[in-house]
């Protein structure tokens, strides 16, 4: 593996890189940096979002700038104010051991302040096209002597309609400068720019052109149009740690979806063009600091969102342009992390999924909107893990004797049950017996992923999940091997954090259940039970993991010894909500999270 030291970077940069904690160059950095350092050339670099493009041009640029001269030598154009500030910040970090001034120029802030900073001597200017044009017109900045011009996120700049501004800005720059174009995708408009304004540029491509990040999984969920919002809530509830951007098509939808989410108790907010710059800044700040878990955004407003660790991108509605889908899904799966891009579709939009698949050259997985009971299970285990992993506050010690007294007669098992019930009950009460939101399948048998059991297939619950190191492929392999089954005998494997589901045909049921009676892996009981979580009607047939009052194992929850697998003991009709629904439940119930509301 190449190291930063081998790319030809000077010592001051290497020290800064070390301070930032970067260990090895990313692919685009490894390819671009030596070329840019050693040659005066134009370059077109295509790499997905989150692959480290800023440093790929930033390091060579810093190294090439003459710090002795105060002339503006480098210009970076970037689509939004947020990106502009982010790049400026990064460049300042890179150049901390140099004497280089980097100045940001963007709309929505005082132009005279910015002009003053430029005047003090800015070797590098980072600008949004609109404000740059403005400052050129007012002669507040001089770019006639620049040697390097970077067009960052070129595809997004063009998407946002900055073509005219860019051409006009470039007309003020010298012909013999080098132009470095960085982009995630290469639509026609970008290659036009390259043809028109660049001299035989070298091209670097990381990954395939126009494809999304490899770290992103693409999923779609088919629902009827009127269930879109309920589906969104279920997706959120089934992913308790979600940190997501939810894309809507219009400002109005963006606003109304966010409002509904807030009303239903989620940490959500809207970001769109009708908000003032100040409001947008506040929203982005809360999002970065995770006070907001679901940011509902229009495509234009989202251009500036450059936040790492987004776990899910949710396409509440699909965009008109396929290109836009690539941008949306590129918000997740950044900096080496995994991400999921979910699409909520109606039947009539199914064609679009095909076109997107062709474009991104990746397959979508059709998934089922989780049933109410599946969500309850996810939440229950999430809560149990959370309690288990909580750091104990020593302040509690003082009250412990008194608290112990309260629980004197409570067994450990009972105590745990009560503790998890505190929160679990809310979900259970909301989701119990809620209907299935999934659109019944038309033709595509293969794609069907309705989880629940049906006439010929049995759905199982198994008490191992992601935290045991399984993903769906590993679990499928494990089950095939353990049960000695064929390639396609285990299907619809759905791995959650600490448990999973899978299906087999009915004729395998006896074998599966018998095999996992008293079955241990690494000294731990692995337990498989039939899951009859159809989620609607008839009492839901909820699994009972214990026979009620019987012995239970802490580690696996497996029934000890005997094979008497007791089925649901809950009475069929005992599950009514008893009028205890909350206001937010008037549609579907379910969907509420966290205690905190919008700040
Ligand atoms: P892009 O412009 O390609 O979308 P960025 O330049 O914004 O990506 O980088 C994405 C993230 O990865 C940033 O948080 C950045 O600090 C980090 N990063 C970039 N290069 C490296 C590296 N070589 N090692 C570790 N982290 C890196
Ligand atoms: Mg970038």
């Amino acid at each position: 593996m190449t190291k930063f030291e081998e790319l030809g970077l000077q010592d001051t940069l290497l020290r800064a890189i070390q301070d930032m904690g970067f260990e090895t160059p990313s692919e685009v950095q490894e390819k671009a940096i030596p070329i840019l350092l050693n040659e005066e050339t134009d370059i077109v670099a295509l790499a997905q979002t989150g692959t480290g493009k800023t440093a790929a041009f930033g390091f060579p640029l810093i190294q090439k700038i003459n710090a002795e001269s105060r002339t503006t030598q480098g210009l970076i154009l970037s689509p939004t104010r947020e990106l502009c500030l982010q790049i400026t910040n990064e460049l300042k970090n890179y150049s901390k051991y140099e004497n280089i001034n980097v100045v940001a120029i963007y709309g929505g802030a005082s132009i005279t302040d910015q002009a003053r900073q430029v005047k003090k001597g800015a070797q590098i200017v980072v600008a949004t096209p609109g404000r740059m044009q403005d400052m050129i017109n007012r002669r507040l900045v001089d770019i006639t002597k620049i040697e390097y011009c970077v067009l960052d996120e070129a595809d997004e700049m063009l998407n946002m309609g900055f073509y005219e501004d860019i051409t006009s800005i470039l007309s003020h720059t010298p012909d013999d400068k080098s132009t470095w174009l960085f982009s995630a995708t290469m639509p026609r408009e970008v290659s036009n720019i390259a043809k028109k304004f660049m001299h035989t540029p070298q091209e670097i491509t990381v990954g395939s052109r126009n494809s999304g990040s490899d770290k992103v999984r693409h999923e779609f969920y088919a629902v009827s149009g009127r269930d879109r919002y309920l589906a969104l809530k279920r997706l959120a509830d089934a992913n308790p740690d979600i940190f997501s951007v939810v894309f809507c098509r219009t400002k109005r939808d963006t606003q109304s979806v966010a409002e509904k989410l807030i009303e239903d108790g989620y940490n959500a907010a809207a970001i769109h063009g009708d908000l003032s710059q100040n409001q947008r800044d506040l929203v982005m700040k809360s999002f970065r600091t995770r006070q907001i878990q679901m940011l509902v955004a229009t495509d234009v407003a989202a251009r500036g969102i450059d936040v790492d660790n987004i776990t899910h991108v949710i396409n509440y509605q699909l965009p008109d342009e396929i290109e836009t889908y690539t941008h949306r899904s590129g918000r997740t799966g950044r900096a080496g992390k995994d991400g999921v891009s979910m699409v909520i579709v109606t039947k009539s939009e199914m064609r679009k999924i095909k076109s997107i698949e062709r474009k991104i050259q990746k397959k979508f997985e059709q998934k089922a909107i989780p049933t109410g009971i599946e969500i309850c299970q996810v939440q229950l285990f999430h809560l149990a893990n959370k309690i288990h992993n909580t750091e104990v506050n020593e302040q509690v010690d003082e009250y412990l004797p008194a608290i112990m007294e309260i629980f004197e007669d409570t067994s450990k098992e009972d105590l745990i049950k009560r503790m998890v019930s505190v929160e679990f009950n809310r979900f259970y009460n909301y989701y119990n017996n809620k209907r299935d939101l999934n659109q019944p399948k038309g033709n595509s048998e293969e794609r069907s992923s309705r989880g629940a059991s049906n006439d010929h297939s049995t759905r199982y619950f198994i008490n191992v999940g992601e935290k045991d190191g399984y993903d769906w492929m590993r679990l499928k392999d494990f089950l095939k091997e353990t049960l000695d089954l064929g390639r396609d005998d285990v299907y619809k494997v759905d791995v959650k954090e600490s448990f999973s589901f899978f299906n087999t045909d009915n004729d395998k049921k006896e074998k599966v259940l018998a095999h996992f009676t008293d079955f241990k892996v690494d000294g731990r009981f692995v337990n498989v039970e039939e899951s009859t979580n159809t989620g609607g009607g008839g009492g839901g047939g909820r699994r009972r993991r214990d026979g009620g009052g019987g012995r239970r194992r802490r580690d696996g929850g497996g029934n000890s010894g005997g094979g008497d697998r007791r089925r649901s003991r809950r009475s069929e009709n005992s599950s009514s909500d008893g009028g205890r629904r909350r206001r937010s439940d008037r549609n579907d119930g379910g969907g509420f999270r966290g205690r905190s509301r919008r700040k």
Side-chain angles (χ1 to χ4, degrees), residues 38 49 231 289 478 586:
N38 298 321
T49 318
T289 53
F478 164 76
R586 60 181 167 225

Side-chain angles (χ1 to χ4, degrees), residues 142 153 192 209 246 258 309 337 342 351 419 431 434 460 522-523 548 591:
D142 176 12
E153 316 265 353
N192 283 348
R209 270 165 165 238
V246 178
N309 301 325
K337 298 269 173 32
M342 297 173 154
R351 288 172 298 113
M419 266 166 68
Y431 271 122
K434 287 301 176 309
Y460 308 88
D522 295 336

Side-chain angles (χ1 to χ4, degrees), residues 274-336:
D274 285 352
L275 302 180
S276 71
Q277 186 64 53
N278 196 27
Q279 287 171 311
R280 271 184 285 172
D281 286 349
L282 280 175
V283 170
M284 282 312 298
K285 191 164 166 231
S286 325
F287 188 54
R288 279 210 179 81
T289 53
R290 306 284 185 118
Q291 281 160 293
I292 289 169
Q293 273 185 291
M294 301 177 80
L295 181 62
V296 191
T298 56
D299 287 295
V300 173
R303 293 269 149 71
I305 301 173
D306 209 15
V307 175
D308 286 341
N309 301 325
I310 289 171
T311 59
H312 295 75
V313 163
I314 302 181
N315 295 264
Y316 186 75
Q317 294 142 335
L318 273 174
D320 291 323
E321 303 283 324
I322 296 177
E323 196 70 45
T324 308
Y325 179 81
T326 322
H327 287 298
R328 289 181 174 186
S329 58
R331 301 290 150 205
T332 185
R334 296 165 61 90

Side-chain angles (χ1 to χ4, degrees), residues 144 212 267:
T144 56
N267 300 318

Side-chain angles (χ1 to χ4, degrees), residues 48-55 57 83 86-87 152-153 182 306 334:
Q48 302 134 16
T49 318
T51 50
K53 293 190 288 296
T54 316
F57 64 75
L83 283 172
Q86 198 153 342
I87 294 167
D152 189 30
E153 316 265 353
F182 283 76
D306 209 15
R334 296 165 61 90

